[in-house]
Amino acid sequence: MKKRSASVNFRRRSAAVILFSLLFFISLPAGAKDQDPIVFIHGFLGWGRTEMFGVKYWGGVGGDYEALLNAAGFPAVSVAVGPASSNWDRAVEAYYQLKGGCVDYGAAHAQKYGHERFGRCYEKPLLSRWDDRRRISIIAHSQGGQTARVLIHLLEYGSEEERAATGGKTAEIFKGDRRWVKSLTTLSTPHNGTTLTRGAYAATFQMAEQIITGIAGLVQGSDTLSDVYDFKLDQWGLRKRPGENFFAYKKRVRQSPILKSPTARDLAVWDLSPEGARELNGWVKTSPNVYYFSLSTASTERDESSGDEHPVVTNALIFLPVAGRMGSYSDPQPLPGRMAIDDAWKKNDSIVNTISMRAPSGSAVRFFDGQPRKGIWQDLGTWTTWDHMDIIGQTRMWNLLDGRNPKDFYLEHAALLERLP
């Protein structure tokens, strides 16, 4: 009897251990079994991994920060959204690239701005799973930070206009109640706009050409620049044609009426302007469920005699004229409808005013003290002597004046993001 009783007790203890183990593993956070991935969202005039002669937006010539994180055990992917599109269109494109399916810009949105409702289809999503148990952490550069904020807003709050327009056939992204983003880190993002946009419709194409031809020279790319860069403006009937070189494609896009009117508000140049950013900040909410981090950059220094900002010696050569112009620009008494620009806007990283990078106007913000908090913008500081493209590895792999390397930042920050509950 004793042996039988001992045997029964043993089986009971074994069953209890197995049950406890199962409950333990089931109760573990999703990241413990299946790490929450990092998603990179590029900025204005950015590109995908298969464009630009294979030079990665995130890493530059010879670099690849997405591959770097994956090799270090931090799963990462990057989206390729419209480089000159509005943040609404870019956010929707990012959603479908991550989740899969055909892009639905929304019936109400498409009708309002006069472009096609549907866009490209993505049969194979970048993420095998994306929901409230396997959330993403976004790292976004420049306009990508605005895009990410719109994406988070649509996921959590949806769109009342789209729900009213389509009823039971509303696309998932516009339904709301999807807390699928754990954190957002913005790098050099114009949360409150950039003064570069003052008269920048033509500059859009000039900058694109300079960046592309500059990279082509570094990697000895094709002179025709065929299949190198795609503006991804399919919704406007401007899909890149097979074999069409960049110069012919750019000419066709530039001649399109959508880019000639200063009132075209479904494009990046409006969203990136101080006035457009103010409008965006009026409806895009900071989520109480998301950790927010921001890193600022500056590549100019103040001239005490004039009060203007001049580019430092390490500033990328192609951006020197822009940095100088932004560093001397102010508009303290603007025309009706325009935002006042005072001297505080002069410090910049050659593309974005540093004052605009910390957080959207009106948001709660504080310096990061090592204790992450949700719903508050946590300022990671300003990297001085770093221009707009340095932080993504495009201009150089490390800064000659302070010795910091962006690779270290991405690895250390990825480790921080992994620890977030």
Side-chain angles (χ1 to χ4, degrees), residues 32-52:
K33 295 179 292 181
D34 191 7
Q35 282 180 272
D36 293 335
I38 291 172
V39 173
F40 287 106
I41 301 181
H42 66 70
F44 178 59
L45 299 183
W47 59 90
R49 291 179 64 80
T50 60
E51 298 176 79
M52 296 291 275

Side-chain angles (χ1 to χ4, degrees), residues 44-45 196-210 254 269 322 325:
F44 178 59
L45 299 183
L196 174 66
T197 56
R198 297 291 168 94
Y201 276 83
T204 295
F205 304 100
Q206 294 168 359
M207 287 178 60
E209 186 171 340
Q210 287 180 18
R254 190 169 185 173
V269 174
V322 180
R325 183 172 69 83

Side-chain angles (χ1 to χ4, degrees), residues 87 142-151 189-191 193 271-272 277 280:
N87 284 300
S142 193
Q143 186 190 357
Q146 288 183 318
T147 301
R149 287 169 46 215
V150 173
L151 175 60
T189 288
H191 291 294
D271 280 350
L272 293 170
L280 192 76

Side-chain angles (χ1 to χ4, degrees), residues 19 33 101 106 232 246 297 304 343:
L19 178 60
K33 295 179 292 181
K232 303 176 184 68
F246 171 73
T297 48
E304 296 299 333
D343 287 352

Side-chain angles (χ1 to χ4, degrees), residues 178-200:
R178 284 156 175 75
R179 299 176 180 178
W180 294 356
V181 178
K182 180 167 64 174
S183 72
L184 168 60
T185 302
T186 63
L187 312 176
S188 313
T189 288
H191 291 294
N192 302 304
T194 169
T195 56
L196 174 66
T197 56
R198 297 291 168 94

Side-chain angles (χ1 to χ4, degrees), residues 283-304:
W283 66 270
V284 176
K285 301 177 183 178
T286 296
S287 168
N289 308 304
V290 176
Y291 296 95
Y292 293 89
F293 303 93
S294 65
L295 179 66
S296 303
T297 48
S299 62
T300 60
E301 54 188 3
R302 180 180 171 83
D303 183 334
E304 296 299 333

